Each structure stands twice: as structure tokens, then as C-alpha cells.
Amino acid sequence: MVGMRDVAKRAGASLSTVSLVVNGNGYVSSEMRGRIERAMADLDYIPNELARNLYHGRTGIIGMIVPTIRHPFFATLTAAVQRALSDKGLRTLLCSTADAGHGEAEYVDMLRRHMMDGIIMAAHTTHGKDYWTSIGRPVVAFDRYLGPRIPVVRADHRQEGELVADLLLRTGARHVAAIGGPREQFHDWSGRLPEGIADTGRSALDTTFPTVGRYLQLERRLDAEGVRSEYLEAGDVDDFAGYARAAHEVFERYPDVDAIVAPDVGAAYGVQEALARGVRIPHDVQVVAYDGTYMTRTAGLRLTAVQQDFDAMASMMGHRMMEAIDADAARRVPSTPSTTPPPATASLSGPGPGPGPVVGVPAALTASGVGDPVREDVIPVTMVPGLTTR
């Protein structure tokens, strides 16, 4: 196998000079660089990418932790994140906690031992915020709050609830059934709400799952208009049979239901259950999906769906990850005293790619006593009409 010593001998250069050319670090004259590059071509020398990354103190690998890649949402998200990271010269190491049968601790250990440069955390965790902040390495959260100063990228779930409520109220729905995950996720962070702010964004106050904001906002809007609503638990995200059971229970328990709202998989089962019972869609019952993956086009009828912008969310996660990696590298370089005074306050917002993300600290989260600054990038969603609503 050809190595750098062979290249150095062919080019008549020192090993350290060849290393500078291979790693792109330091000055080498154009004449010497040309000789080394010709020698590399003549010898078919292929640089060891892992060694080169370690030379720069990086691996070029980002861990992506999701609950399962069987779910169309996480399959779509993972594909988008892989593209976004690849555009930045990074590779993705996937951990699917439910499919692999173990949690995220193994990947966190790899991050601590510098076997990867950062983690994008998109799965449920039983670890508290102290665990995540103690890692001291780059972590970006997707659709969950992990702890202070860990950036969060998510869709605008309150907007999701607003869009669905607007549609159902406009089309005269009177009894709505929503299908989602375990209701305990709605309030899993603290046991109580701060006094006096019970109606101001509860999902951001006492849950690690901002996703539940879609259901809470929908329930508030329907209740204000006197529209009856139910919530049926479908189990964990990898429990596909749970979605089927919940769709079945909707019609068994509530014969007068005239609208079903669920993630794409649950909405698809809702369509199948209705068609099997001879219930007309959308005349007798409307079906609205959250997420907007490819599943909305394979349910028998094209689903009306609130569509998340996967590419924008993935691009933002890549942007925040690069920021975190650069900041981590800067912390590890010995610094010299600066004559420039630090800013009075540190900004928690920053520029980023994507169509109009909202960046900042959720006021409700700060007010809750969870209190530690959380930088959120909130990506707008869109309503895509289908054949399942009037």
C-alpha cells in the first residue's frame, strides 16, 4: 500500500511537507505542491481520510439518533438530514433506538470519546437535562427540549394546530377525534404550571415534546367554538398496530365522529377503517394528517395534510451542528487575553438557512421556571389539500 513516505521519496520532499499538502494545513510553495501532487497521482496515492480528519481534531461523523426508521416520518427526516450533512462534508451514523434494541447511551459515549463530532437527538430520552448538558460536546435536538443551551430545531406545531382548526371549523366539523402518542408526554417535564399562565402555550411549559402543541392548540380552538373533541392514544411511535387499534376505536366508541386528525400513519389507518365500514370520505368523516410524508399519497385516498418542511429543518440542523462543532473546537484551543470587552449579553438567536425560521427563546419556557435559555429554530408548515376533507 502506498503511503506518504512513498510520496515524499518520489517528490523529493520531506514527510512533514507532504503532510501539509495532504491535510491542507500550512504554507507550501506552488512548485513543491505541484511536485507532491504529481507524485500522488503517479503513485495512485489515496489519503487516509480518517487520519486526515483526526489531524484536524475531527472525525467528520455525526450521530443521528431516531426512535425507528420504519416510521415514514423518521425515514423522511433521516434522508433529509443525511443530504444536508453530506453537503457540509459530513457523514451520518444512524442509531435507531427501537430497531437496535438499545438507547442513546452508547452513542453519547462515542461522542465523549471523540469518535464522532456531534449528535442530532431526535428520539425520546429518559435522561434528564443534567445528563445532556454534562456531555460538554456538540448536541442538537430535534423536536424535543433536552436542556439549557442545547439548540432545538422543530416545526411550528402551534401553527399545525391552528391550520387544522381553521379547516375543520370552516367545514362544519362537530365531533373531532385526534390520534397521537401517550398522553403522559403532554406534561412530562414538571408536574405543575406556573400560576397565571395556564393558557399561554402550555406545551412549551411542562413537556420535553413541543410536538404536543399541535394537539393542545387544536383542542383549545375547538373547545372555544363548542366543538367536541376526543384524544385516543396510539402507543409509542414504533407501535404501528397501536395506530390501527386507535383508528378502529374511533368508530367503535364515537359513531357520530365527523373528523379524524392523526399523524400520517394514523390518518391512513383512519381512511382504511372508514372505507371498510362504508363511511364516506369526506362526506361523513374528514381525515387530516400531520407530517406530510410520502404516506399521504399511499393511503387509498390522497390525504389532506399539514406538511413539515423536512429539507428546511434538516438544513437548519446542519447549520446549528456546524456552529456547535466550531464552538467546541474554539473552546479546546488555548486562548490569549483579549483587549476587546465581551458583549453585555449573549445573543441566543442567529442567522440560518431555510424559509423564514423563527429563532429565539420561547417566552413561556423561560417563564416556566425551566428557565434556562433554549434557542429554538421554528420552521413554518403548510397545509396541502387532498381528497379527505371538504
Side-chain angles (χ1 to χ4, degrees):
M1 180 181 293
V2 176
M4 281 200 291
R5 292 184 184 277
D6 301 298
V7 174
K9 184 177 180 180
R10 169 64 73 89
S14 68
L15 183 62
S16 61
T17 302
V18 174
S19 177
L20 291 176
V21 172
V22 170
N23 292 295
N25 186 35
Y27 172 76
V28 178
S29 70
S30 58
E31 187 272 335
M32 178 59 75
R33 183 179 296 276
R35 284 164 50 187
I36 291 172
E37 289 175 346
R38 285 192 297 273
M40 291 169 63
D42 291 343
L43 295 172
D44 290 328
Y45 171 70
I46 301 174
N48 185 319
E49 187 172 349
L50 176 59
R52 185 168 58 190
N53 283 333
L54 292 176
Y55 179 88
H56 292 287
R58 296 184 181 179
T59 65
I61 298 172
I62 303 299
M64 174 79 179
I65 302 178
V66 298
T68 174
I69 55 172
R70 294 178 58 239
H71 196 289
F73 178 87
F74 290 103
T76 304
L77 178 70
T78 300
V81 168
Q82 284 189 295
R83 289 193 298 268
L85 294 179
S86 178
D87 288 345
K88 298 181 181 299
L90 299 170
R91 289 183 172 86
T92 307
L93 183 62
L94 179 64
C95 173
S96 176
T97 55
D99 302 331
H102 56 76
E104 70 276 7
E106 178 182 346
Y107 270 43
V108 171
D109 183 58
M110 292 173 67
L111 179 61
R112 283 183 166 133
R113 290 187 285 128
H114 295 258
M115 297 174 65
M116 59 179 71
D117 295 335
I119 283 177
I120 294 174
M121 179 59 177
H124 176 55
T125 176
T126 57
H127 291 103
K129 57 184 179 178
D130 291 341
Y131 172 83
W132 290 99
T133 55
S134 70
I135 294 171
R137 297 295 313 284
V139 176
V140 174
F142 174 75
D143 243 355
R144 62 212 63 240
Y145 302 126
L146 295 181
R149 301 193 180 280
I150 295 178
V152 180
V153 177
R154 65 176 179 87
D156 191 338
H157 300 301
R158 184 184 178 94
Q159 183 193 15
E160 288 181 307
E162 286 285 349
L163 290 173
V164 174
D166 288 343
L167 185 152
L168 294 181
L169 293 173
R170 185 175 66 250
T171 55
R174 300 305 306 163
H175 189 180
V176 179
I179 298 173
R183 189 80 185 196
E184 65 187 23
Q185 295 178 354
F186 281 36
H187 314 293
D188 70 338
W189 201 334
S190 63
R192 61 183 181 82
L193 288 169
E195 187 175 351
I197 52 174
D199 60 345
T200 56
R202 179 166 184 155
S203 65
L205 290 169
D206 58 357
T207 178
T208 59
F209 291 90
T211 310
V212 304
R214 59 170 62 148
Y215 296 106
L216 295 175
Q217 185 61 18
L218 175 62
E219 289 174 2
R220 281 193 289 266
R221 287 286 309 280
L222 296 179
D223 184 63
E225 298 295 329
V227 176
R228 184 180 172 191
S229 65
E230 319 290 346
Y231 187 87
L232 292 90
E233 296 186 0
D236 293 330
V237 69
D238 59 322
D239 182 7
F240 288 83
Y243 287 110
R245 287 193 301 271
H248 178 77
E249 287 179 18
V250 166
F251 293 96
E252 289 294 308
R253 294 167 57 180
Y254 311 111
D256 65 333
V257 73
D258 59 5
I260 298 173
V261 182
D264 295 349
V265 175
Y269 276 120
V271 168
Q272 293 180 16
E273 187 72 26
L275 295 177
R277 292 170 178 265
V279 177
R280 298 174 301 169
I281 302 173
H283 305 286
D284 301 326
V285 65
Q286 300 185 84
V287 181
V288 185
Y290 288 124
D291 298 338
T293 67
Y294 60 84
M295 193 79 179
T296 62
R297 299 181 295 277
T298 60
L301 292 174
R302 189 174 72 253
L303 291 167
T304 296
V306 178
Q307 188 170 64
Q308 298 192 37
D309 192 334
F310 290 93
D311 288 336
M313 292 189 297
S315 180
M316 183 60 74
M317 280 186 271
H319 177 74
R320 293 302 180 205
M321 179 54 69
M322 291 303 298
E323 283 186 338
I325 290 172
D326 290 342
D328 183 62
R331 284 195 298 270
R332 297 176 189 281
V333 175
S335 59
T336 56
S338 172
T339 57
T340 304
T345 57
S347 173
L348 294 176
S349 62
V358 179
V359 185
V361 182
L365 187 61
T366 303
S368 71
V370 176
D372 302 303
V374 175
R375 177 174 59 193
E376 282 191 296
D377 294 290
V378 183
I379 310 299
V381 298
T382 56
M383 177 69 79
V384 179
L387 300 177
T388 56
T389 53
R390 296 191 285 272

